[in-house]
PDB file of all heavy atoms in Angstrom:
ATOM      1  N   SER V   8       0.041  50.117   0.973  1.00  0.00           N
ATOM      2  CA  SER V   8      -0.335  51.314   0.219  1.00  0.00           C
ATOM      3  C   SER V   8      -0.767  52.433   1.176  1.00  0.00           C
ATOM      4  O   SER V   8      -0.594  53.608   0.878  1.00  0.00           O
ATOM      5  CB  SER V   8      -1.461  50.995  -0.760  1.00  0.00           C
ATOM      6  OG  SER V   8      -2.578  50.470  -0.073  1.00  0.00           O
ATOM      7  N   GLN V  19      -5.357  56.473   0.180  1.00  0.00           N
ATOM      8  CA  GLN V  19      -4.892  55.133  -0.191  1.00  0.00           C
ATOM      9  C   GLN V  19      -5.360  54.789  -1.603  1.00  0.00           C
ATOM     10  O   GLN V  19      -4.645  54.141  -2.364  1.00  0.00           O
ATOM     11  CB  GLN V  19      -5.421  54.124   0.844  1.00  0.00           C
ATOM     12  CG  GLN V  19      -4.975  52.690   0.637  1.00  0.00           C
ATOM     13  CD  GLN V  19      -5.959  51.920  -0.208  1.00  0.00           C
ATOM     14  OE1 GLN V  19      -7.162  52.150  -0.152  1.00  0.00           O
ATOM     15  NE2 GLN V  19      -5.444  51.020  -1.019  1.00  0.00           N
ATOM     16  N   SER V  23      -3.275  53.379  -4.963  1.00  0.00           N
ATOM     17  CA  SER V  23      -3.694  52.234  -5.770  1.00  0.00           C
ATOM     18  C   SER V  23      -3.775  52.596  -7.244  1.00  0.00           C
ATOM     19  O   SER V  23      -3.309  51.849  -8.103  1.00  0.00           O
ATOM     20  CB  SER V  23      -5.044  51.732  -5.269  1.00  0.00           C
ATOM     21  OG  SER V  23      -5.515  50.706  -6.107  1.00  0.00           O
ATOM     22  N   ARG V  24      -4.356  53.763  -7.506  1.00  0.00           N
ATOM     23  CA  ARG V  24      -4.514  54.165  -8.906  1.00  0.00           C
ATOM     24  C   ARG V  24      -3.182  54.360  -9.607  1.00  0.00           C
ATOM     25  O   ARG V  24      -3.040  54.029 -10.775  1.00  0.00           O
ATOM     26  CB  ARG V  24      -5.313  55.480  -8.986  1.00  0.00           C
ATOM     27  CG  ARG V  24      -6.762  55.280  -8.657  1.00  0.00           C
ATOM     28  CD  ARG V  24      -7.608  56.450  -9.081  1.00  0.00           C
ATOM     29  NE  ARG V  24      -8.949  56.292  -8.524  1.00  0.00           N
ATOM     30  CZ  ARG V  24      -9.339  56.819  -7.371  1.00  0.00           C
ATOM     31  NH1 ARG V  24      -8.528  57.576  -6.666  1.00  0.00           N
ATOM     32  NH2 ARG V  24     -10.558  56.595  -6.938  1.00  0.00           N
ATOM     33  N   TYR V  49       7.991  50.386  -1.510  1.00  0.00           N
ATOM     34  CA  TYR V  49       6.665  49.789  -1.671  1.00  0.00           C
ATOM     35  C   TYR V  49       6.470  49.096  -3.009  1.00  0.00           C
ATOM     36  O   TYR V  49       6.913  49.580  -4.038  1.00  0.00           O
ATOM     37  CB  TYR V  49       5.581  50.864  -1.533  1.00  0.00           C
ATOM     38  CG  TYR V  49       4.204  50.369  -1.918  1.00  0.00           C
ATOM     39  CD1 TYR V  49       3.492  49.541  -1.055  1.00  0.00           C
ATOM     40  CD2 TYR V  49       3.635  50.719  -3.145  1.00  0.00           C
ATOM     41  CE1 TYR V  49       2.235  49.072  -1.417  1.00  0.00           C
ATOM     42  CE2 TYR V  49       2.371  50.256  -3.508  1.00  0.00           C
ATOM     43  CZ  TYR V  49       1.682  49.426  -2.636  1.00  0.00           C
ATOM     44  OH  TYR V  49       0.443  48.961  -2.998  1.00  0.00           O
ATOM     45  N   ASN V  52       0.929  44.316  -3.322  1.00  0.00           N
ATOM     46  CA  ASN V  52       0.793  42.905  -2.984  1.00  0.00           C
ATOM     47  C   ASN V  52      -0.079  42.212  -4.040  1.00  0.00           C
ATOM     48  O   ASN V  52      -1.263  42.486  -4.163  1.00  0.00           O
ATOM     49  CB  ASN V  52       0.144  42.813  -1.600  1.00  0.00           C
ATOM     50  CG  ASN V  52      -0.063  41.386  -1.154  1.00  0.00           C
ATOM     51  OD1 ASN V  52      -0.290  40.507  -1.965  1.00  0.00           O
ATOM     52  ND2 ASN V  52       0.025  41.170   0.143  1.00  0.00           N
ATOM     53  N   ARG V  56      -4.281  42.116  -4.609  1.00  0.00           N
ATOM     54  CA  ARG V  56      -4.822  42.562  -5.887  1.00  0.00           C
ATOM     55  C   ARG V  56      -5.649  41.449  -6.531  1.00  0.00           C
ATOM     56  O   ARG V  56      -6.727  41.686  -7.069  1.00  0.00           O
ATOM     57  CB  ARG V  56      -3.656  42.956  -6.799  1.00  0.00           C
ATOM     58  CG  ARG V  56      -4.042  43.278  -8.208  1.00  0.00           C
ATOM     59  CD  ARG V  56      -2.845  43.721  -9.014  1.00  0.00           C
ATOM     60  NE  ARG V  56      -2.440  45.089  -8.699  1.00  0.00           N
ATOM     61  CZ  ARG V  56      -1.365  45.680  -9.195  1.00  0.00           C
ATOM     62  NH1 ARG V  56      -0.570  45.016 -10.020  1.00  0.00           N
ATOM     63  NH2 ARG V  56      -1.076  46.921  -8.883  1.00  0.00           N
ATOM     64  N   VAL V  59      -9.310  40.970  -5.093  1.00  0.00           N
ATOM     65  CA  VAL V  59     -10.379  41.879  -5.501  1.00  0.00           C
ATOM     66  C   VAL V  59     -10.583  41.929  -7.003  1.00  0.00           C
ATOM     67  O   VAL V  59     -11.699  42.014  -7.493  1.00  0.00           O
ATOM     68  CB  VAL V  59     -10.192  43.294  -4.890  1.00  0.00           C
ATOM     69  CG1 VAL V  59      -8.736  43.598  -4.694  1.00  0.00           C
ATOM     70  CG2 VAL V  59     -10.862  44.359  -5.718  1.00  0.00           C
TER      71      VAL V  59
ATOM     72  P    DC B   8      -5.138  44.956   9.154  1.00  0.00           P
ATOM     73  OP1  DC B   8      -4.204  45.452  10.172  1.00  0.00           O
ATOM     74  OP2  DC B   8      -5.885  45.913   8.304  1.00  0.00           O
ATOM     75  O5'  DC B   8      -4.349  43.988   8.184  1.00  0.00           O
ATOM     76  C5'  DC B   8      -3.954  42.672   8.577  1.00  0.00           C
ATOM     77  C4'  DC B   8      -3.867  41.817   7.335  1.00  0.00           C
ATOM     78  O4'  DC B   8      -5.146  41.205   7.107  1.00  0.00           O
ATOM     79  C3'  DC B   8      -3.580  42.637   6.084  1.00  0.00           C
ATOM     80  O3'  DC B   8      -2.175  42.618   5.846  1.00  0.00           O
ATOM     81  C2'  DC B   8      -4.342  41.913   4.986  1.00  0.00           C
ATOM     82  C1'  DC B   8      -5.370  41.059   5.731  1.00  0.00           C
ATOM     83  N1   DC B   8      -6.801  41.387   5.509  1.00  0.00           N
ATOM     84  C2   DC B   8      -7.675  40.394   5.077  1.00  0.00           C
ATOM     85  O2   DC B   8      -7.232  39.250   4.865  1.00  0.00           O
ATOM     86  N3   DC B   8      -8.981  40.693   4.902  1.00  0.00           N
ATOM     87  C4   DC B   8      -9.429  41.930   5.146  1.00  0.00           C
ATOM     88  N4   DC B   8     -10.721  42.171   4.967  1.00  0.00           N
ATOM     89  C5   DC B   8      -8.548  42.963   5.595  1.00  0.00           C
ATOM     90  C6   DC B   8      -7.256  42.649   5.757  1.00  0.00           C
ATOM     91  P    DG B   9      -1.404  44.031   5.666  1.00  0.00           P
ATOM     92  OP1  DG B   9       0.034  43.720   5.816  1.00  0.00           O
ATOM     93  OP2  DG B   9      -2.036  45.077   6.493  1.00  0.00           O
ATOM     94  O5'  DG B   9      -1.687  44.386   4.149  1.00  0.00           O
ATOM     95  C5'  DG B   9      -1.289  43.469   3.150  1.00  0.00           C
ATOM     96  C4'  DG B   9      -1.941  43.867   1.847  1.00  0.00           C
ATOM     97  O4'  DG B   9      -3.367  43.707   1.969  1.00  0.00           O
ATOM     98  C3'  DG B   9      -1.716  45.336   1.469  1.00  0.00           C
ATOM     99  O3'  DG B   9      -1.292  45.352   0.125  1.00  0.00           O
ATOM    100  C2'  DG B   9      -3.086  45.978   1.643  1.00  0.00           C
ATOM    101  C1'  DG B   9      -4.008  44.809   1.369  1.00  0.00           C
ATOM    102  N9   DG B   9      -5.320  44.916   1.972  1.00  0.00           N
ATOM    103  C8   DG B   9      -5.669  45.554   3.138  1.00  0.00           C
ATOM    104  N7   DG B   9      -6.945  45.469   3.421  1.00  0.00           N
ATOM    105  C5   DG B   9      -7.481  44.725   2.362  1.00  0.00           C
ATOM    106  C6   DG B   9      -8.815  44.316   2.116  1.00  0.00           C
ATOM    107  O6   DG B   9      -9.819  44.530   2.802  1.00  0.00           O
ATOM    108  N1   DG B   9      -8.915  43.569   0.944  1.00  0.00           N
ATOM    109  C2   DG B   9      -7.865  43.276   0.119  1.00  0.00           C
ATOM    110  N2   DG B   9      -8.149  42.562  -0.964  1.00  0.00           N
ATOM    111  N3   DG B   9      -6.615  43.648   0.338  1.00  0.00           N
ATOM    112  C4   DG B   9      -6.494  44.375   1.473  1.00  0.00           C
ATOM    113  P    DC B  10      -0.844  46.628  -0.641  1.00  0.00           P
ATOM    114  OP1  DC B  10       0.598  46.562  -0.831  1.00  0.00           O
ATOM    115  OP2  DC B  10      -1.449  47.826  -0.041  1.00  0.00           O
ATOM    116  O5'  DC B  10      -1.511  46.316  -2.048  1.00  0.00           O
ATOM    117  C5'  DC B  10      -2.538  47.127  -2.542  1.00  0.00           C
ATOM    118  C4'  DC B  10      -3.658  46.225  -3.011  1.00  0.00           C
ATOM    119  O4'  DC B  10      -4.455  45.894  -1.863  1.00  0.00           O
ATOM    120  C3'  DC B  10      -4.586  46.946  -3.971  1.00  0.00           C
ATOM    121  O3'  DC B  10      -4.181  46.626  -5.285  1.00  0.00           O
ATOM    122  C2'  DC B  10      -5.950  46.413  -3.632  1.00  0.00           C
ATOM    123  C1'  DC B  10      -5.818  45.855  -2.227  1.00  0.00           C
ATOM    124  N1   DC B  10      -6.582  46.595  -1.196  1.00  0.00           N
ATOM    125  C2   DC B  10      -7.958  46.419  -1.129  1.00  0.00           C
ATOM    126  O2   DC B  10      -8.502  45.688  -1.958  1.00  0.00           O
ATOM    127  N3   DC B  10      -8.661  47.064  -0.166  1.00  0.00           N
ATOM    128  C4   DC B  10      -8.026  47.835   0.717  1.00  0.00           C
ATOM    129  N4   DC B  10      -8.755  48.441   1.661  1.00  0.00           N
ATOM    130  C5   DC B  10      -6.612  48.041   0.665  1.00  0.00           C
ATOM    131  C6   DC B  10      -5.933  47.411  -0.300  1.00  0.00           C
ATOM    132  P    DT B  11      -4.483  47.627  -6.452  1.00  0.00           P
ATOM    133  OP1  DT B  11      -3.727  47.157  -7.620  1.00  0.00           O
ATOM    134  OP2  DT B  11      -4.329  48.998  -5.936  1.00  0.00           O
ATOM    135  O5'  DT B  11      -6.042  47.390  -6.705  1.00  0.00           O
ATOM    136  C5'  DT B  11      -6.476  46.143  -7.232  1.00  0.00           C
ATOM    137  C4'  DT B  11      -7.972  46.189  -7.445  1.00  0.00           C
ATOM    138  O4'  DT B  11      -8.646  46.533  -6.197  1.00  0.00           O
ATOM    139  C3'  DT B  11      -8.437  47.218  -8.469  1.00  0.00           C
ATOM    140  O3'  DT B  11      -9.513  46.608  -9.167  1.00  0.00           O
ATOM    141  C2'  DT B  11      -8.913  48.389  -7.623  1.00  0.00           C
ATOM    142  C1'  DT B  11      -9.477  47.660  -6.397  1.00  0.00           C
ATOM    143  N1   DT B  11      -9.465  48.401  -5.106  1.00  0.00           N
ATOM    144  C2   DT B  11     -10.632  48.436  -4.376  1.00  0.00           C
ATOM    145  O2   DT B  11     -11.672  47.938  -4.741  1.00  0.00           O
ATOM    146  N3   DT B  11     -10.532  49.102  -3.168  1.00  0.00           N
ATOM    147  C4   DT B  11      -9.403  49.695  -2.639  1.00  0.00           C
ATOM    148  O4   DT B  11      -9.439  50.237  -1.536  1.00  0.00           O
ATOM    149  C5   DT B  11      -8.211  49.620  -3.456  1.00  0.00           C
ATOM    150  C7   DT B  11      -6.947  50.239  -2.964  1.00  0.00           C
ATOM    151  C6   DT B  11      -8.304  48.988  -4.639  1.00  0.00           C
ATOM    152  P    DT B  12     -10.002  47.117 -10.565  1.00  0.00           P
ATOM    153  OP1  DT B  12     -10.082  45.956 -11.448  1.00  0.00           O
ATOM    154  OP2  DT B  12      -9.190  48.291 -10.942  1.00  0.00           O
ATOM    155  O5'  DT B  12     -11.476  47.621 -10.245  1.00  0.00           O
ATOM    156  C5'  DT B  12     -12.249  46.925  -9.291  1.00  0.00           C
ATOM    157  C4'  DT B  12     -13.426  47.773  -8.885  1.00  0.00           C
ATOM    158  O4'  DT B  12     -13.124  48.485  -7.657  1.00  0.00           O
ATOM    159  C3'  DT B  12     -13.807  48.858  -9.898  1.00  0.00           C
ATOM    160  O3'  DT B  12     -15.221  48.958  -9.907  1.00  0.00           O
ATOM    161  C2'  DT B  12     -13.186  50.112  -9.320  1.00  0.00           C
ATOM    162  C1'  DT B  12     -13.415  49.847  -7.835  1.00  0.00           C
ATOM    163  N1   DT B  12     -12.557  50.583  -6.881  1.00  0.00           N
ATOM    164  C2   DT B  12     -13.063  50.849  -5.628  1.00  0.00           C
ATOM    165  O2   DT B  12     -14.172  50.528  -5.275  1.00  0.00           O
ATOM    166  N3   DT B  12     -12.209  51.529  -4.791  1.00  0.00           N
ATOM    167  C4   DT B  12     -10.931  51.959  -5.087  1.00  0.00           C
ATOM    168  O4   DT B  12     -10.255  52.548  -4.252  1.00  0.00           O
ATOM    169  C5   DT B  12     -10.461  51.642  -6.413  1.00  0.00           C
ATOM    170  C7   DT B  12      -9.095  52.073  -6.825  1.00  0.00           C
ATOM    171  C6   DT B  12     -11.291  50.978  -7.243  1.00  0.00           C
ATOM    172  P    DA B  13     -15.986  49.156 -11.293  1.00  0.00           P
ATOM    173  OP1  DA B  13     -17.205  48.318 -11.200  1.00  0.00           O
ATOM    174  OP2  DA B  13     -15.046  48.999 -12.386  1.00  0.00           O
ATOM    175  O5'  DA B  13     -16.413  50.666 -11.257  1.00  0.00           O
ATOM    176  C5'  DA B  13     -17.755  50.996 -11.399  1.00  0.00           C
ATOM    177  C4'  DA B  13     -18.532  50.776 -10.119  1.00  0.00           C
ATOM    178  O4'  DA B  13     -17.658  50.769  -8.962  1.00  0.00           O
ATOM    179  C3'  DA B  13     -19.521  51.909  -9.879  1.00  0.00           C
ATOM    180  O3'  DA B  13     -20.682  51.445  -9.230  1.00  0.00           O
ATOM    181  C2'  DA B  13     -18.738  52.869  -9.000  1.00  0.00           C
ATOM    182  C1'  DA B  13     -17.819  51.949  -8.216  1.00  0.00           C
ATOM    183  N9   DA B  13     -16.499  52.553  -8.030  1.00  0.00           N
ATOM    184  C8   DA B  13     -15.481  52.636  -8.937  1.00  0.00           C
ATOM    185  N7   DA B  13     -14.405  53.233  -8.468  1.00  0.00           N
ATOM    186  C5   DA B  13     -14.741  53.553  -7.170  1.00  0.00           C
ATOM    187  C6   DA B  13     -14.040  54.194  -6.140  1.00  0.00           C
ATOM    188  N6   DA B  13     -12.786  54.645  -6.280  1.00  0.00           N
ATOM    189  N1   DA B  13     -14.682  54.356  -4.968  1.00  0.00           N
ATOM    190  C2   DA B  13     -15.938  53.900  -4.836  1.00  0.00           C
ATOM    191  N3   DA B  13     -16.696  53.279  -5.730  1.00  0.00           N
ATOM    192  C4   DA B  13     -16.033  53.137  -6.875  1.00  0.00           C
ATOM    193  P    DC B  14     -21.984  52.418  -9.294  1.00  0.00           P
ATOM    194  OP1  DC B  14     -23.146  51.629  -8.822  1.00  0.00           O
ATOM    195  OP2  DC B  14     -22.004  53.070 -10.628  1.00  0.00           O
ATOM    196  O5'  DC B  14     -21.627  53.554  -8.220  1.00  0.00           O
ATOM    197  C5'  DC B  14     -21.458  53.208  -6.850  1.00  0.00           C
ATOM    198  C4'  DC B  14     -21.300  54.488  -6.050  1.00  0.00           C
ATOM    199  O4'  DC B  14     -19.889  54.816  -5.953  1.00  0.00           O
ATOM    200  C3'  DC B  14     -21.993  55.695  -6.694  1.00  0.00           C
ATOM    201  O3'  DC B  14     -22.818  56.331  -5.743  1.00  0.00           O
ATOM    202  C2'  DC B  14     -20.850  56.599  -7.135  1.00  0.00           C
ATOM    203  C1'  DC B  14     -19.725  56.197  -6.177  1.00  0.00           C
ATOM    204  N1   DC B  14     -18.358  56.389  -6.726  1.00  0.00           N
ATOM    205  C2   DC B  14     -17.374  56.965  -5.910  1.00  0.00           C
ATOM    206  O2   DC B  14     -17.658  57.290  -4.746  1.00  0.00           O
ATOM    207  N3   DC B  14     -16.122  57.143  -6.407  1.00  0.00           N
ATOM    208  C4   DC B  14     -15.849  56.768  -7.658  1.00  0.00           C
ATOM    209  N4   DC B  14     -14.605  56.954  -8.096  1.00  0.00           N
ATOM    210  C5   DC B  14     -16.836  56.192  -8.506  1.00  0.00           C
ATOM    211  C6   DC B  14     -18.068  56.020  -8.000  1.00  0.00           C
ATOM    212  P    DA B  15     -24.023  57.312  -6.247  1.00  0.00           P
ATOM    213  OP1  DA B  15     -25.298  56.748  -5.779  1.00  0.00           O
ATOM    214  OP2  DA B  15     -23.838  57.636  -7.678  1.00  0.00           O
ATOM    215  O5'  DA B  15     -23.702  58.625  -5.412  1.00  0.00           O
ATOM    216  C5'  DA B  15     -22.642  59.408  -5.831  1.00  0.00           C
ATOM    217  C4'  DA B  15     -22.037  60.129  -4.647  1.00  0.00           C
ATOM    218  O4'  DA B  15     -20.614  59.860  -4.683  1.00  0.00           O
ATOM    219  C3'  DA B  15     -22.193  61.631  -4.756  1.00  0.00           C
ATOM    220  O3'  DA B  15     -22.201  62.240  -3.491  1.00  0.00           O
ATOM    221  C2'  DA B  15     -20.961  62.051  -5.548  1.00  0.00           C
ATOM    222  C1'  DA B  15     -19.922  60.993  -5.164  1.00  0.00           C
ATOM    223  N9   DA B  15     -19.138  60.573  -6.332  1.00  0.00           N
ATOM    224  C8   DA B  15     -19.574  60.012  -7.495  1.00  0.00           C
ATOM    225  N7   DA B  15     -18.625  59.765  -8.359  1.00  0.00           N
ATOM    226  C5   DA B  15     -17.465  60.184  -7.716  1.00  0.00           C
ATOM    227  C6   DA B  15     -16.124  60.193  -8.086  1.00  0.00           C
ATOM    228  N6   DA B  15     -15.698  59.740  -9.270  1.00  0.00           N
ATOM    229  N1   DA B  15     -15.229  60.685  -7.210  1.00  0.00           N
ATOM    230  C2   DA B  15     -15.664  61.132  -6.028  1.00  0.00           C
ATOM    231  N3   DA B  15     -16.894  61.175  -5.556  1.00  0.00           N
ATOM    232  C4   DA B  15     -17.766  60.691  -6.461  1.00  0.00           C
TER     233       DA B  15
END
Side-chain angles (χ1 to χ4, degrees):
Chain V
S8 57
Q19 183 268 327
S23 175
R24 288 195 190 93
Y49 170 76
N52 179 328
R56 173 177 284 175
V59 30

